[in-house]
Amino acid sequence: MELKLLILVSSCLAIFSAVVGADYVRPPPRKTLDFPWTPRSSSSPRQVHVSLAGEKHMRISWVTDDKSAPSHVHYGTMLGRYEFVAQGESTSYSYLLYKSGKIHHVVIGPLEDDKVYYYKCGGEDPEFHLKTPPAKLPVTFAVAGDLGQSGWTKSTLDHIYRCDYDVHLLPGDLSYADYMQRKWDTFGELVQPLASARPWMVTEGNHEEELIPLVKDGFLSYNARWKMPHEESGSDSNLYYSFNVAGVHVMMLGSYADYSENSEQYRWLMKDLSKVNREKTPWLVASFHVPWYNSNFAHQGEGEEMKRAMEPLLYAAGVDIVLVGHVHAYERSTRVYKGKLNPCGPVHITIGDGGNREGLAHRYHEPQPEWSAFREASFGHGELEFVNASHALWSWLRNDDDEPMRADHVWISSLGSLGCLNGQRRALGKILTALHP
Ligand SMILES: *[C@@H]1O[C@H](CO)[C@@H](O)[C@H](O)[C@H]1NC(C)=O
Ligand SMILES: [Fe+2]
C-alpha cells in the first residue's frame, strides 16, 4: 500500500517536473530495436545514406545483396526524370563468419546549391531524394552522437526528422554493433529515412573500432560503409577529414587515430587550417569523439592526452565550437582554454546523448567547474543554426518522454566578431613556421 502510494506520488512528480522543466526524472535505457529482415530483390538498394564529397558533390552509399548489382546513380532535379548518371566504386568485407553485401559509393555532381535532387541507386526502385546544403549562411546542423539503435534512438531520430536542417553531424559511436556485423546492416536501415535525404557527416568512436588483434584491423566495417570525404580534403585516412558547408569549415578529427605532434593527423590538420579563409568560412568547427571538457564521472580524463596535443593548435586557429560525444549526457562549456575561462577559446559541447542501449551517465563531479555552463544526463539532440557571420544559435532538445523539448539554448558569437582572430592568426602562423621552418 505504502509502496503504491510512493509510486503514484513519484510518477505525478515526474509529470509535474517534466512540465515545469525543473528536475526532470530521467527514463531508463530502452532495448535494442528488433528488425524483421524483410526479403526483397537482391539488387534492391538498402541502407542508403549520403555525405558531402567536396565542393558541389555528394557521395551516395548503399548496400545490395547481389554482388553483380551495378554501382551507378541516376539523378536529376525532377521527380522520376534523371538527366544525369554517375558511375562509382564498390567494396565488401568479411568478418569472421559474416560476409557483407556489396557496398556501393558513387559521387554525384556538380550539384546546384540548396536544391532537391531525385535519385535511384543501381537503376532499382525506390526513388530517393536529397537536398543539397545552401551556398551561403544561414545553415543548420542537426547534431547527435552515440546513437545506437534502441527505442531512445528512434525517439531522437523522430525529433531530428521534424527539424528543418541541412547537414547531420555525428561525433562518433554509430551502430553499437560491437562485433555483431548484422547490426551494422540494421543500423543502416534504421537511419536510411534521414540519411538518404540529408548528408550525414560522421567521425569514429570507440564502438566503431571492432579490433581483433592479429585477426582483424580496427575500423574495417566503419571504413567500408561510412566512407567520408577524406580524399577530397587531402587526408589519407577515413578517420579524419574536413569539409566546407555554406560559411562553416568543419574538421572531423579522430580520437582513435594518432594525434601527437608528429602524427599524420596533426600534419594534415595544420595543412588544413592553413588553407582556411575566414572571409569565406567565418565559422570554424571541430568535432571528435572523446571530450576534452567533461565534468561527468563517465570517461573522466580520457580526452586529456589528445587535449594536450591539439588544444593549442585549435586555439591558435580560432576554433569557434567543438562538438564531441562519448559521455552519454549533455554538457555545454563557456569559452575556455587550458581549463580557464577565455573569451577567445572555443565553446565545447558534449552531445553523446543520442539514445544507445547503454543508458545515461548520471554522476557529475561537484562542485560544477567554472567552465561548465550547463550539464544534464538526458537523451536528446542538438541543433546548431549559423545565422550569419557573427551569430549562431545552439539549442539542445531533450527527449522528454518522447516529446522534444528545448531545454538549453544560447547565442554564440563568432570569434571573428569578438575581435579574437588577429592575435590568433599570428599565433597559428608561429606554430606553422615553428613546425615547418
Ligand atoms: C546576425 O544575426 C543576429 C541574430 O539574428 C542579428 O542580431 C544581427 O544583426 C545579424 N548581423 C548582421 C550583420 O546581419
Ligand atoms: Fe564512445
Side-chain angles (χ1 to χ4, degrees):
M1 183 67 199
E2 251 169 63
L3 188 68
K4 260 193 196 151
L5 191 67
L6 195 69
I7 288 168
L8 192 69
V9 168
S10 65
S11 61
C12 288
L13 271 181
I15 292 162
F16 177 72
S17 56
V19 169
V20 299
D23 231 84
Y24 173 60
V25 176
R26 280 129 208 148
R30 287 179 181 169
K31 282 210 201 83
T32 298
L33 298 166
D34 284 326
F35 298 90
W37 198 251
T38 46
R40 255 182 284 163
S41 117
S42 67
S43 54
S44 97
R46 294 173 186 269
Q47 308 175 47
V48 180
H49 66 88
V50 303
S51 47
L52 302 171
E55 209 181 329
K56 297 196 183 295
H57 288 74
M58 284 173 84
R59 180 173 279 112
I60 317 284
S61 304
W62 74 98
V63 181
T64 55
D65 295 338
D66 181 358
K67 290 286 189 330
S68 65
S71 303
H72 56 54
V73 169
H74 290 87
Y75 64 102
T77 54
M78 271 178 288
L79 203 78
R81 282 184 47 195
Y82 314 111
E83 312 155 65
F84 311 106
V85 58
Q87 188 67 40
E89 55 177 11
S90 70
T91 183
S92 63
Y93 72 95
S94 60
Y95 197 93
L96 307 181
L97 296 175
Y98 173 91
K99 292 212 174 356
S100 80
K102 185 172 180 180
I103 302 167
H104 308 259
H105 298 292
V106 178
V107 173
I108 63 170
L111 305 170
E112 289 176 56
D113 303 300
D114 204 10
K115 191 145 195 111
V116 174
Y117 281 86
Y118 300 89
Y119 65 96
K120 264 190 187 179
C121 303
E124 291 274 337
D125 281 338
E127 175 182 78
F128 294 92
H129 59 86
L130 60 81
K131 194 183 81 63
T132 58
K136 292 202 187 99
L137 298 167
V139 65
T140 302
F141 291 80
V143 195
D146 301 68
L147 263 181
Q149 40 195 315
S150 79
W152 284 115
T153 313
K154 182 86 178 62
S155 175
T156 302
L157 293 176
D158 288 346
H159 302 164
I160 293 174
Y161 199 76
R162 288 191 230 166
C163 149
D164 187 14
Y165 69 101
D166 300 294
V167 177
H168 185 112
L169 219 117
L170 203 168
D173 283 359
L174 283 67
S175 71
Y176 285 72
D178 299 327
Y179 304 93
M180 304 288 291
Q181 296 301 308
R182 267 282 165 230
K183 291 257 178 276
W184 277 106
D185 294 313
T186 53
F187 179 77
E189 296 277 286
L190 175 67
V191 302
Q192 175 180 289
L194 288 87
S196 62
R198 294 289 183 281
W200 271 43
M201 307 310 288
V202 306
T203 187
E204 83 281 7
N206 50 311
H207 287 270
E208 274 67 70
E209 189 167 11
E210 302 180 308
L211 174 78
I212 307 177
L214 307 177
V215 180
K216 284 290 166 198
D217 287 343
F219 304 105
L220 185 66
S221 176
Y222 172 74
N223 286 339
R225 293 165 184 272
W226 290 84
K227 181 169 180 175
M228 288 291 122
H230 65 276
E231 286 150 355
E232 291 85 346
S233 54
S235 152
D236 57 14
S237 167
N238 194 45
L239 301 181
Y240 45 88
Y241 64 94
S242 67
F243 63 95
N244 281 343
V245 57
V248 190
H249 182 70
V250 184
M251 295 159 289
M252 302 296 277
L253 304 181
S255 290
Y256 300 93
D258 190 357
Y259 40 66
S260 64
E261 280 184 25
N262 306 313
S263 64
E264 282 295 319
Q265 177 172 201
Y266 197 97
R267 265 196 296 278
W268 164 80
L269 180 57
M270 285 196 303
K271 215 185 295 164
D272 191 69
L273 286 170
S274 68
K275 284 187 283 194
V276 171
N277 173 357
R278 289 308 262 267
E279 303 275 306
K280 233 181 102 202
T281 54
W283 291 94
L284 201 49
V285 173
S287 182
F288 44 89
H289 190 55
V290 183
W292 296 351
Y293 288 89
N294 166 30
S295 70
N296 199 292
F297 272 74
H299 305 298
Q300 188 47 240
E302 271 180 38
E304 277 307 305
E305 202 181 296
M306 186 187 185
K307 179 179 171 206
R308 257 198 309 280
M310 286 190 158
E311 192 181 25
L313 185 53
L314 294 196
Y315 178 74
V319 169
D320 289 285
I321 301 171
V322 173
L323 298 162
V324 297
H326 204 34
V327 175
H328 302 160
Y330 168 66
E331 184 159 25
R332 170 172 63 80
S333 83
T334 58
R335 290 199 172 278
V336 62
Y337 179 55
K338 291 200 167 169
K340 297 206 172 61
L341 306 198
N342 184 318
C344 296
V347 173
H348 289 254
I349 296 170
T350 302
I351 183 98
D353 55 349
N356 66 74
R357 60 178 160 72
E358 293 177 343
L360 292 165
H362 291 284
R363 287 176 63 221
Y364 284 103
H365 283 282
E366 299 294 348
Q368 185 166 8
E370 198 188 3
W371 51 258
S372 175
F374 191 111
R375 56 184 192 177
E376 185 179 318
S378 299
F379 298 114
H381 78 277
E383 292 172 12
L384 182 51
E385 184 188 0
F386 294 94
V387 175
N388 53 33
S390 59
H391 284 69
L393 179 62
W394 165 261
S395 307
W396 177 60
L397 290 93
R398 172 209 289 154
N399 298 356
D400 229 88
D401 298 323
D402 289 322
E403 279 308 308
M405 201 199 87
R406 196 163 84 153
D408 181 33
H409 70 278
V410 64
W411 280 99
I412 299 175
S413 299
S414 64
L415 291 180
S417 75
L418 294 173
C420 287
L421 290 186
N422 290 339
Q424 282 174 322
R425 294 292 321 169
R426 276 198 299 278
L428 180 62
K430 266 190 205 154
I431 291 181
L432 294 175
T433 46
L435 286 150
H436 286 288

